[in-house]
Amino acid sequence: MEEKCAAARYIGDVTGADSGMESRSYLAILKRVGAVLVVIGLLDIGVMVYCIVHRISYRSSLNLFAVIAGILLLRGSLRTAATVRWFGVLFLSACIATLFALPAVQPMDLTLTKIRLSPGGFIADVAFVLLILALFYWVIAELGREPVQEASDSAGIKRRDMRFPVGVGISLVIGLGALLHVFLGGESAEHAKSMAEKLVGPGYRLHVSSMRVSRSGHTESVSGVVTAWNDKEIRDIAVHWEGTPGR
């Protein structure tokens, strides 16, 4: 009888030790990822503030989101881990799809001209994109490790099929690309190119980079940016008009 009790205590001690090790293992992963996200988010916020103060164009999708997600991961939130991993897969898929869709959105000749005229800027852009992609891949891989998945199972959190966010990310890029192709290739886009051509003169190839249409009552206001380039330079020409083109 005493031997059975001793064996039971030993099994309980081993099981408790294993459970404690698993808990420490998944918590270590969450805290490591959380710390990285907080640091990245704070750095991003600092850069954003600097750009705002100095009126420099800057776009980012991390900053506050990364800080909040990082803090929750530091506190050991498994639901946050599942959510961050899901959106990480979506974002990574969308970024990779965007790289393949870029030739359909921006003329290849313009892209090659940018590389030739500013190779340093191109290298910096590529390095930044690769850094972001590597960061998201690392976050996805870490939060998908078995200790985190087993802890989520124990907490009753259902495992998500990561094929769904992959499909969503790719579909978003395809849909937005199609809308941009239609919107930037219509009558308003041709009118924007015509206005830009009058401003820069002949000898430039033209591409509508962006366009914004707003309406106030019966008045339509259109603002856009047309990229004009040749073998020697690239210029961004701002255009604006009121009303429908041709009227």
Side-chain angles (χ1 to χ4, degrees):
M1 187 71 177
E2 291 180 358
E3 290 179 355
K4 290 183 178 180
C5 291
R9 283 196 300 271
Y10 174 76
I11 293 172
D13 291 341
V14 171
T15 303
D18 289 343
S19 176
M21 289 179 64
E22 289 177 2
S23 176
R24 288 194 296 272
S25 178
Y26 93 80
L27 282 174
I29 294 171
L30 297 191
K31 289 182 178 181
R32 181 164 59 248
V33 175
V36 170
L37 288 180
V38 168
V39 171
I40 294 294
L42 291 176
L43 287 173
D44 198 28
I45 290 173
V47 173
M48 181 182 68
V49 172
Y50 175 86
C51 291
I52 291 174
V53 171
H54 293 82
R55 298 181 180 180
I56 301 172
S57 177
Y58 182 71
R59 295 178 182 178
S60 174
S61 57
L62 297 175
N63 48 62
L64 195 58
F65 167 76
V67 173
I68 294 174
I71 291 174
L72 292 174
L73 288 175
L74 285 171
R75 296 178 62 182
S77 174
L78 288 167
R79 292 194 181 277
T80 300
T83 301
V84 169
R85 185 167 181 253
W86 194 93
F87 279 101
V89 171
L90 187 151
F91 183 85
L92 184 62
S93 303
C95 285
I96 294 174
T98 300
L99 295 177
F100 286 99
L102 185 61
V105 178
Q106 178 173 283
M108 182 59 68
D109 183 53
L110 174 57
T111 302
L112 294 176
T113 302
K114 286 183 177 181
I115 295 172
R116 183 172 55 81
L117 295 180
S118 181
F122 172 74
I123 292 173
D125 289 341
V126 170
F128 178 76
V129 170
L130 291 177
L131 179 63
I132 293 297
L133 293 179
L135 171 66
F136 272 88
Y137 178 81
W138 177 79
V139 169
I140 293 166
E142 285 291 295
L143 297 181
R145 290 176 61 182
E146 199 57 32
V148 178
Q149 296 303 307
E150 290 178 353
S152 297
D153 292 340
S154 300
I157 300 173
K158 185 179 179 181
R159 296 197 185 195
R160 300 181 180 183
D161 187 348
M162 289 297 108
R163 291 175 296 181
F164 182 69
V166 169
V168 172
I170 295 174
S171 298
L172 283 174
V173 172
I174 293 174
L176 290 174
L179 287 174
L180 281 174
H181 181 73
V182 172
F183 184 64
L184 299 180
E187 183 182 0
S188 294
E190 291 302 318
H191 184 66
K193 289 181 182 179
S194 176
M195 293 180 66
E197 187 175 21
K198 292 178 181 178
L199 293 172
V200 300
Y204 285 87
R205 295 178 287 279
L206 303 170
H207 168 68
V208 179
S209 302
S210 65
M211 186 172 294
R212 180 170 55 88
V213 179
S214 60
R215 289 180 174 84
S216 179
H218 298 289
T219 304
E220 182 181 82
S221 177
V222 183
S223 299
V225 175
V226 178
T227 301
W229 78 98
N230 55 25
D231 294 337
K232 296 180 180 180
E233 65 173 349
I234 299 174
R235 298 172 60 182
D236 287 326
I237 310 300
V239 296
H240 175 81
W241 70 88
E242 303 283 344
T244 304
R247 294 185 181 178

